[in-house]
Amino acid sequence: MTAGRLWRRFVAFCDQREGPESLALVRILVGSVLFVEFAGMAKAGLAPDFWLAPPRGLGWAAAADPVGFVRSLGTSPGSVTALWALALAGSFGVAVGLWLRAAALACVAATALLGRLAPDGERAIDVLLRIVLIVLALSRADAAWSLARVRESRLGRPPVTSIPAWPRLLLFGQLVWVYSSAAQNRGGIEWWPAGGSVALARVLSDPHFARFSPGWTAALDPLPRVATALTMLFELGSPLLVLFTFADRHPERLGAFGRVVRRFGLRWAWLGLGASLHLGIALTMRLGMFPYGMLALYPLFVAPEELRAALAWLRRATRRSSLE
């Protein structure tokens, strides 16, 4: 295959279009998770103190910068409060789909500066959601289920039914890479059968993270071992989701393999396993917004027409139940 043909295929792939529903749902969920996170910090009395310089907060980067911008920012409660308010307002704008590009980029800038002030408070989920916000800012994620759409409707503009698909596909690939790299970076022997697959049992008994008293998993053995094995299987097998999705959408292109994928619902089984993993984390561990932020990205794995079909089925089921 020539370089020119490869380039044309790449351009055609990036030029795909689809409905706005899947990306709109991601926008709503991600914005809501971030809004609840920042509002919750204020309710807990952590804003702005969390990001201020020691001894008041964890903003040691401000204390380490004797004369620079970071120090002037991190030693002023007013400036840190302004950053927190900007992150809160930006996340709200993303969730409701109002001035999406400005809201998303404002949230990115504010959270990046807050993370710079207190690097020890910066988590992988913070970085991941910032990447998501940047891509959302470059997309038409506000074309459905948004205040922007309400405004356009009042102006008599027709609904947008087709948007570029590349933002969803790009984030789809990003999320697959996150899971795959997570498995590749698990160096502890306790994650593997050779180490007894005891990693989750240990984590769920760690008082820093666990919701319950240490040792509570002993009575459940071997379920924690099975859960550890399934976690590794899920993460190591995450690149297969790309193949499963293609086979599910185009079974005729992959012959017998495509038919097997569809018949046994391998794609949906993988997604169900991932959702169960994050729901389990939310129920048994205190990891902040991590499980909710990851679940907020799962609509990326669902094509807009599949989401529309699911919503139509839900409406019919609700209507039937109300008539009974």
Side-chain angles (χ1 to χ4, degrees):
M1 186 178 294
T2 64
R5 189 174 180 183
L6 282 173
W7 176 252
R8 287 192 294 273
R9 285 196 173 188
F10 175 75
V11 171
F13 177 80
C14 294
D15 199 38
Q16 294 179 85
R17 301 186 74 82
E18 62 183 17
E21 292 84 2
S22 296
L23 214 54
L25 184 55
V26 171
R27 186 205 81 235
I28 293 169
L29 294 176
V30 168
S32 299
V33 166
L34 288 169
F35 180 81
V36 171
E37 175 79 357
F38 284 103
M41 294 191 76
K43 184 177 180 180
L46 296 176
D49 294 35
F50 181 85
W51 297 282
L52 290 173
R56 186 169 175 179
L58 297 180
W60 60 262
D65 188 357
V67 293
F69 169 75
V70 173
R71 180 173 181 82
S72 61
L73 186 68
T75 53
S76 167
S79 61
V80 175
T81 301
L83 285 178
W84 166 83
L86 185 61
L88 185 72
S91 61
F92 179 78
V94 170
V96 300
L98 182 64
W99 300 309
L100 174 61
R101 183 166 299 175
L105 294 180
C107 193
V108 168
T111 56
L113 284 172
L114 291 173
R116 177 67 180 87
L117 289 174
D120 290 341
E122 182 82 336
R123 303 157 298 183
I125 189 64
D126 296 306
V127 178
L128 176 60
L129 293 187
R130 276 203 292 272
I131 294 172
V132 172
L133 287 175
I134 292 172
V135 177
L136 289 179
L138 300 173
S139 75
R140 285 302 317 272
D142 58 347
W145 305 334
S146 67
L147 291 182
R149 176 62 210 133
V150 172
R151 182 181 58 204
E152 291 177 356
S153 178
R154 290 179 177 177
L155 293 175
R157 297 173 184 170
V160 176
T161 58
S162 177
I163 65 172
W166 70 261
R168 184 180 71 86
L169 298 177
L170 176 62
L171 292 175
F172 183 123
Q174 175 74 47
L175 197 50
V176 168
W177 175 252
V178 166
Y179 284 128
S180 178
S181 60
Q184 295 172 39
N185 284 281
R186 294 198 192 281
I189 191 65
E190 63 272 11
W191 286 98
W192 304 94
S197 296
V198 297
L200 283 183
R202 292 181 180 178
V203 173
L204 293 175
S205 296
D206 188 329
H208 289 90
F209 310 111
R211 292 189 183 277
F212 308 110
S213 300
W216 69 275
T217 59
L220 301 177
D221 196 66
L223 290 181
R225 298 174 190 268
V226 173
T228 301
L230 288 175
T231 298
M232 294 304 297
L233 177 65
F234 166 76
E235 292 179 343
L236 286 170
S238 57
L240 289 174
L241 181 63
V242 178
L243 188 59
F244 290 162
T245 301
F246 184 82
D248 209 19
R249 303 293 303 281
H250 307 284
E252 72 286 350
R253 302 276 296 273
L254 295 178
F257 178 78
R259 291 191 294 272
V260 168
V261 169
R262 296 201 70 177
R263 180 175 181 180
F264 293 99
L266 296 183
R267 173 185 170 214
W268 299 107
W270 190 92
L271 293 176
L273 183 59
S276 299
L277 166 67
H278 293 300
L279 287 172
I281 290 174
L283 291 172
T284 61
M285 302 175 68
R286 297 189 297 265
L287 291 181
M289 70 173 178
F290 167 72
Y292 312 105
M294 294 300 293
L295 286 171
L297 301 178
Y298 268 54
L300 294 169
F301 295 131
V302 182
E305 57 268 26
E306 294 174 323
L307 184 58
R308 287 195 297 269
L311 292 175
W313 176 87
L314 184 61
R315 284 193 292 268
R316 289 194 300 269
T318 303
R319 193 177 300 116
R320 283 196 302 267
S321 64
S322 63
L323 295 175
E324 292 177 355

